[in-house]
C-alpha cells in the first residue's frame, strides 16, 4: 500500500505563510454593532438603578407640589407599563415589563411635566414614548431616538400651552423665581435674571417640571450613575461642557442680552438632559471620541436653540438632533497608532 504524498513546503516558505494567514483569518471574530461582550450586568438592573437615581430630584418636586405631582408620576409610570403590556399582547410578543424600561420611561417623562398636567396628556405622552418611540421600531435597543424625548417633543409641539410653567403653576409660591427663568432671560435679557441666586435655582426654587428643577438632586443621581457605570461619563461631562462653552461665548459677545453659563446649566432640562436623556443606550454612541463629540454637540445646540430659536427650552430638540447624527458620529474611529500604549 502506497503512503500518501505529503506536500513539502517550498524553500521560500510561501505555503507556510498561506496556511498561517488562513489560520489567522479563521481566528478573527467578525462582529457588527456593540455591545460585544456581556459583563454580567442585566438590563433590568440598570433600569432600576436609574429609577433610584431619579428619586433625589423627584422627591423634592413631590414635596413642593404635593398630591398633584404624585398623581402625575404614578399615572405616568402605570400607563407606560400598561401600554407596553397591551402592545406585547396584541403583537403576540414576549411580555417584558419586568425589565423596568417602560417604568423608567414613565418616570423620566413625569419629571419633565408640570404638576398641573391633565391626565389625558400624561396617557398620550406615555403612548408616544412606549409605542411610537420604541415598540414600532422593534422594541428595546432598536429605537433610533430617545423615546421619552420624542414623546416630550410631540407633546410640547401639539399642546404647548399646557407647558407654560408660568401659567400652569400660578397656585404655587416661589421665594426665588416666581417666573420661569428661561422665559425671563429670553424675553428681557440677562439683566432680568441677574438677581436670581444660582444656588436657589440649583435647589429647585423655580417653576418647572416635577423632577427637572432640583439640580442638586439631578447631580447626585447623575454622579451615582457615572460612578456605578450605568451611564457613560463621557456623554454627560461633554454635554455639560458644550452648554458652558456655548453660553460663555454668547455671554462674551453680548452680556446684556445673553445669560451666563451657570444660569443655562441649572435651568430648564439641562441637567436631566445631561444625565438621564442624552445617555440613553440605543440612541447614543459607544466609542470614546464619538461620545465626546455627541455630548459637545448636544450642549452647544441646547444653548443655540435657547438663545436664537423660538423655543424656550432647547434640550429636547438638541437631543433629537444628536440622536439623528449618532450613526454617523459612531463611524469615527481613533487612528490605531494613537490607541497604542506609550
Amino acid at each position: 500500500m502506497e503512503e500518501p504524498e505529503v506536500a513539502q513546503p517550498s524553500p521560500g516558505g510561501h505555503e507556510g505563510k498561506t496556511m498561517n494567514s488562513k489560520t489567522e483569518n479563521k481566528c478573527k471574530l467578525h462582529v457588527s454593532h456593540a455591545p460585544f461582550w456581556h459583563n454580567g450586568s442585566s438590563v433590568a438592573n440598570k433600569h432600576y438603578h436609574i429609577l433610584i437615581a431619579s428619586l433625589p430630584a423627584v422627591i423634592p418636586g413631590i414635596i413642593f407640589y404635593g398630591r398633584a405631582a404624585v398623581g402625575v408620576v404614578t399615572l405616568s409610570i402605570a400607563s407606560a407599563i400598561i401600554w407596553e403590556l397591551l402592545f406585547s399582547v396584541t403583537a403576540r410578543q414576549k411580555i417584558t415589563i419586568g425589565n423596568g424600561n417602560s417604568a423608567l420611561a414613565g418616570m423620566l417623562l413625569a419629571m419633565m411635566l408640570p404638576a398641573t398636567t391633565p391626565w389625558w396628556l400624561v396617557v398620550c405622552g406615555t403612548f408616544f414614548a412606549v409605542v411610537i418611540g420604541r415598540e414600532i421600531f422593534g422594541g428595546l435597543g432598536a429605537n433610533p431616538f430617545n423615546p421619552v424625548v420624542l414623546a416630550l417633543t410631540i407633546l410640547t409641539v401639539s399642546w404647548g400651552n399646557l407647558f407654560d410653567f408660568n401659567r400652569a403653576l400660578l397656585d404655587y409660591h416661589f421665594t426665588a423665581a416666581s417666573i420661569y427663568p428661561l422665559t425671563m432671560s429670553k424675553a428681557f435679557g440677562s439683566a432680568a435674571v441677574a438677581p436670581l441666586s444660582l444656588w436657589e435655582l440649583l435647589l429647585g426654587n423655580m417653576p418647572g417640571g416635577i423632577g427637572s428643577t432640583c439640580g442638586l438632586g439631578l447631580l447626585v443621581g447623575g454622579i451615582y450613575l457615572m460612578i456605578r457605570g450605568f451611564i457613560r461619563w463621557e456623554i454627560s461631562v461633554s454635554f455639560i461642557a458644550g452648554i458652558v462653552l456655548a453660553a460663555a461665548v454668547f455671554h462674551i459677545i453680548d452680556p446684556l442680552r445673553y445669560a451666563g453659563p451657570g444660569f443655562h446649566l441649572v435651568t430648564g432640562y439641562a441637567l436631566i438632559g445631561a444625565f438621564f436623556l442624552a445617555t440613553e443606550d440605543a440612541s447614543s454612541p459607544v466609542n470614546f471620541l464619538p461620545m465626546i463629540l455627541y455630548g459637545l454637540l448636544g450642549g452647544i445646540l441646547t444653548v443655540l436653540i435657547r438663545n436664537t430659536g423660538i423655543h424656550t427650552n432647547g434640550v429636547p430638540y438638541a437631543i433629537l438632533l444628536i440622536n439623528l447624527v449618532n450613526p454617523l458620529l459612531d463611524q469615527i474611529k481613533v487612528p490605531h497608532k494613537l490607541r497604542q500604549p506609550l
Side-chain angles (χ1 to χ4, degrees):
M1 182 175 181
E2 296 182 358
E3 295 183 0
E5 294 185 9
V6 178
Q8 299 294 329
S10 63
H14 296 293
E15 288 82 356
K17 291 182 180 180
T18 304
M19 292 177 64
N20 289 336
S21 63
K22 290 181 179 179
T23 305
E24 290 176 0
N25 288 334
K26 290 181 180 179
C27 294
K28 288 182 179 180
L29 179 62
H30 297 280
V31 294
S32 56
H33 201 273
F36 306 130
W37 187 3
H38 198 287
N39 63 359
S41 62
S42 68
V43 172
N45 184 51
K46 177 175 182 177
H47 292 158
Y48 291 138
H49 275 278
I50 298 177
L51 278 168
I52 293 172
S54 68
L55 293 180
V58 174
I59 292 175
I62 291 176
I63 294 174
F64 186 83
Y65 296 116
R67 290 181 299 177
V70 176
V72 171
V73 173
T74 55
L75 177 61
S76 184
I77 295 175
S79 61
I81 295 174
I82 292 172
W83 282 125
E84 180 184 350
L85 181 61
L86 291 175
F87 185 90
S88 299
V89 172
T90 304
R92 298 181 180 180
Q93 297 178 351
K94 181 181 178 181
I95 297 176
T96 58
I97 57 175
N99 63 24
N101 186 257
S102 291
L104 177 59
M107 174 67 90
L108 294 178
L109 180 63
M111 290 172 68
M112 295 181 285
L113 297 176
T116 53
T117 304
W119 68 268
W120 58 266
L121 189 69
V122 177
V123 174
C124 287
T126 54
F127 172 80
F128 293 139
V130 174
V131 179
I132 304 300
R134 189 186 70 205
E135 295 299 334
I136 65 172
F137 289 106
L140 180 62
N143 49 283
F145 301 99
N146 185 311
V148 177
V149 176
L150 180 64
L152 180 69
T153 305
I154 295 174
L155 293 180
T156 53
V157 170
S158 303
W159 298 283
N161 60 313
L162 297 178
F163 285 84
D164 183 355
F165 294 107
N166 296 321
R167 181 169 57 181
L169 303 175
L170 288 177
D171 295 334
Y172 297 94
H173 175 67
F174 298 90
T175 58
S178 57
I179 302 177
Y180 194 48
L182 286 175
T183 302
M184 295 173 62
S185 173
K186 197 171 187 67
F188 306 108
S190 61
V193 296
L196 301 180
S197 168
L198 292 182
W199 176 248
E200 290 289 338
L201 296 177
L202 186 65
L203 292 178
N205 200 348
M206 59 179 169
I210 295 171
S212 60
T213 56
C214 185
L216 185 60
L218 293 170
L219 282 172
V220 170
I223 292 172
Y224 166 78
L225 292 175
M226 288 190 294
I227 292 175
R228 292 295 306 273
F230 293 113
I231 63 174
R232 299 301 298 265
W233 66 266
E234 295 91 338
I235 295 177
S236 298
V237 172
S238 59
F239 192 94
I240 292 173
I243 291 177
V244 172
L245 176 64
V249 171
F250 272 100
H251 187 64
I252 292 173
I253 294 174
D254 192 347
L256 296 178
R257 183 178 178 185
Y258 302 114
F263 172 82
H264 280 282
L265 197 58
V266 299
T267 54
Y269 300 141
L271 291 177
I272 190 175
F275 296 116
F276 293 90
L277 301 178
T279 54
E280 198 263 340
D281 288 332
S283 56
S284 61
V286 296
N287 297 312
F288 176 77
L289 183 58
M291 284 191 289
I292 297 296
L293 297 175
Y294 177 87
L296 279 173
L297 182 60
I300 293 172
L301 285 173
T302 295
V303 178
L304 281 174
I305 295 171
R306 284 180 175 183
N307 286 344
T308 63
I310 61 173
H311 298 284
T312 302
N313 205 325
V315 171
Y317 305 99
I319 292 180
L320 285 181
L321 288 173
I322 57 177
N323 287 165
L324 187 65
V325 300
N326 165 45
L328 296 177
L329 291 177
D330 222 9
Q331 297 300 316
I332 301 175
K333 306 294 183 183
V334 179
H336 182 71
K337 292 184 179 180
L338 298 180
R339 290 188 273 116
Q340 295 297 322
L342 297 176

